[in-house]
Amino acid sequence: MSQSNTSFPRLTHLGDISIEIFLAEYWQKKPLLIRQAFPGFCALISAEELAGLSLEEEVESRLITQQGQDWQVQHGPIAEDTYSTLPERDWTLLVQHADSIDPGFNDLLNAFRFIPNWRLDDIMVSYATDGGGVGPHFDYYDVFLLQAEGKRRWRIGQRCDSHSPLQPDLPMKVLKNFETQEDWVLEPGDMLYIPPNVAHWGEAVGECMTYSVGFRAPSHADFLLDYAQEIASTLPEDDRFGDPLLTQQENPGEITTAAIQQFREILQSITSDDKALASWIGQYSTQLKQPVEGMSSELSSEELLSNALFRLSPYNRVSFHLDDASALCFINGEQWVCSALLAEKLSNYSFIRASEFSEADQDVLNELADSGLLTHDDRQTDQP
């Protein structure tokens, strides 16, 4: 799919702004327009190729059409003959998780690794005909909007929350009110950063393509539920509520302050293990939302023990937590214990040689190879 051989290094500046200033003054605080964040940028996929992806069962896609105030949403896979019936304008095709499908998009993620790995979500590709878009809306997560092809007009509005009124009876969340505060037209290579809860409204100026780099922002309810299930699965059956110091109370119907304190102490004792919390965070935050369709391992044990160069396939999600002299390394929701050096190399997708690591680390590498997580890379054969 991707025709470009461009490699995307980690961004060190956003226009004239350093990453340090961006994080301090803009991240989750206010929008930022970066003209020519990627000078000379060329689209990594054509509109025809994107439409082809939307036909596939395993690809998450949406086709959105608008006629006045009437919005229609069709979820993929999209029937091929649908495209021949579409009007000339006012429709949009969205394809999620492009980074798990195509190596060019996967490489583009590298540019945004000034944000921790576990916060990165995916790259969504949006193709739109003239006037196409998804209406005025807001997201609960940070997003970078990179203009890949053509022009798109972006209007920035007010801050919103769950109480912000939406247009009724629509198959998507479109804001009822929009208060324009900024109005910009982006061209290829330009990029716009939008913090959570800030209303924005993009409309294609002619045909265009935009890449949305989104970040994970699970709700407190979501991660509390997952964590509670994880902790509950580890507790022995014998752990029960008890009150051996119970004294007679005036009204048996009352739940006393002392009883509430007992429950609080039980919850605190269950959740006070930092290592267990780190283990859950690592596994929870690296879970894949879409199966990896990219590189898979063909490495044998003999190759691992030779001087062959390999790395963790960048299609996998990885983070680590340092635990005394070792590290907990998390890949796609699973956990391995290894050296800090190996965890760092894996999390940076660096090329390594198994012979440079301890026997225990080599055992981990063998497990990763057996799981199809390690890969050669033809583009680099002589640099570790």
Side-chain angles (χ1 to χ4, degrees):
M1 273 172 254
S2 295
Q3 303 300 314
S4 172
N5 292 321
T6 302
S7 180
F8 298 98
R10 185 179 304 180
L11 290 173
T12 58
H13 286 76
L14 293 169
D16 296 329
I17 297 175
S18 69
I19 295 303
E20 291 75 15
I21 291 177
F22 169 76
L23 293 175
E25 299 182 10
Y26 292 90
W27 178 254
Q28 300 212 327
K29 302 174 187 69
K30 58 184 178 180
L32 176 64
L33 172 64
I34 310 107
R35 293 291 187 191
Q36 290 304 288
F38 293 84
F41 188 84
C42 294
L44 302 174
I45 192 173
S46 69
E48 291 76 15
E49 289 172 322
L50 191 69
L53 287 175
S54 74
L55 309 181
E56 299 180 15
E57 181 76 33
E58 64 275 10
V59 173
E60 184 180 341
S61 61
R62 287 172 291 159
L63 180 62
I64 299 172
T65 56
Q66 179 190 10
Q67 292 182 340
Q69 295 302 309
D70 181 29
W71 295 81
Q72 299 293 329
V73 179
Q74 183 177 346
H75 293 271
I78 309 297
E80 187 171 2
D81 58 5
T82 300
Y83 290 104
S84 64
T85 66
L86 291 172
E88 291 186 2
R89 54 170 295 143
D90 297 327
W91 60 268
T92 297
L93 173 63
L94 306 173
V95 171
Q96 299 281 165
H97 307 294
D99 52 288
S100 70
I101 302 170
D102 181 85
F105 289 102
N106 188 269
D107 196 44
L108 181 58
L109 279 182
N110 290 336
F112 299 90
R113 295 196 187 279
F114 56 88
I115 304 297
N117 284 355
W118 64 270
R119 288 282 273 116
L120 280 168
D121 191 354
D122 78 328
I123 296 178
M124 181 184 75
V125 182
S126 167
Y127 167 79
T129 55
D130 190 32
V134 298
H137 67 284
F138 74 96
D139 301 308
Y140 284 112
Y141 53 84
D142 305 84
V143 63
F144 287 93
L145 301 162
L146 171 60
Q147 195 61 24
E149 196 170 73
K151 299 180 181 181
R152 188 183 289 268
R153 178 189 182 190
W154 283 104
R155 280 169 278 185
I156 310 302
Q158 72 278 15
R159 285 198 169 268
C160 302
D161 58 29
S162 59
H163 301 292
S164 300
L166 303 176
Q167 294 187 31
D169 304 320
L170 294 183
M172 50 198 292
K173 294 181 178 181
V174 178
L175 289 167
K176 187 174 183 180
N177 305 311
F178 189 87
E179 304 165 9
T180 300
Q181 299 179 8
E182 299 284 356
D183 194 334
W184 296 307
V185 174
L186 272 64
E187 300 186 3
D190 294 343
M191 187 166 67
L192 179 60
Y193 164 71
I194 307 289
N197 298 91
V198 172
H200 48 289
W201 185 357
E203 287 185 309
V205 181
E207 294 183 49
C208 81
M209 201 175 297
T210 305
Y211 302 160
S212 302
V213 182
F215 294 80
R216 298 188 177 193
S219 70
H220 291 185
D222 285 343
F223 68 69
L224 181 60
L225 179 61
D226 192 279
Y227 183 52
Q229 291 176 328
E230 173 68 18
I231 292 297
S233 69
T234 67
L235 298 178
E237 183 71 15
D238 292 336
D239 284 1
R240 299 277 175 162
F241 179 85
D243 47 7
L245 301 180
L246 180 67
T247 58
Q248 186 174 13
Q249 58 191 58
E250 183 176 340
N251 189 330
E254 180 186 6
I255 299 175
T256 64
T257 301
I260 293 172
Q261 179 62 26
Q262 278 184 275
F263 276 99
R264 179 181 289 110
E265 290 173 357
I266 291 171
L267 291 173
Q268 289 175 339
S269 67
I270 290 173
T271 60
S272 62
D273 186 340
D274 285 349
K275 183 175 180 178
L277 180 59
S279 178
W280 169 78
I281 291 172
Q283 294 177 76
Y284 177 78
S285 63
T286 59
Q287 291 174 357
L288 289 175
K289 293 186 177 180
Q290 168 125 341
V292 173
E293 300 293 337
M295 292 177 279
S296 60
S297 173
E298 296 179 354
L299 296 174
S300 66
S301 297
E302 290 74 16
E303 286 179 300
L304 283 174
L305 295 175
S306 72
N307 276 337
L309 286 170
F310 58 89
R311 63 172 176 167
L312 182 73
S313 165
Y315 286 85
N316 299 293
R317 295 304 173 96
V318 56
S319 292
F320 69 91
H321 172 70
L322 294 178
D323 179 39
D324 297 328
S326 61
L328 303 177
C329 187
F330 310 100
I331 304 174
N332 301 345
E334 300 292 334
Q335 174 179 291
W336 283 268
V337 179
C338 62
S339 68
L341 177 60
L342 180 57
E344 291 172 2
K345 293 285 188 179
L346 292 170
S347 66
N348 287 328
Y349 305 98
S350 300
F351 284 87
I352 59 177
R353 292 183 175 89
S355 57
E356 298 173 352
F357 292 89
S358 69
E359 184 175 342
D361 278 348
Q362 289 180 20
D363 289 340
V364 172
L365 290 170
N366 269 305
E367 291 181 24
L368 297 180
D370 290 341
S371 299
L373 303 179
L374 302 180
T375 183
H376 292 296
D377 194 317
D378 295 335
R379 294 173 296 179
Q380 181 167 347
T381 58
D382 57 359
Q383 294 295 323

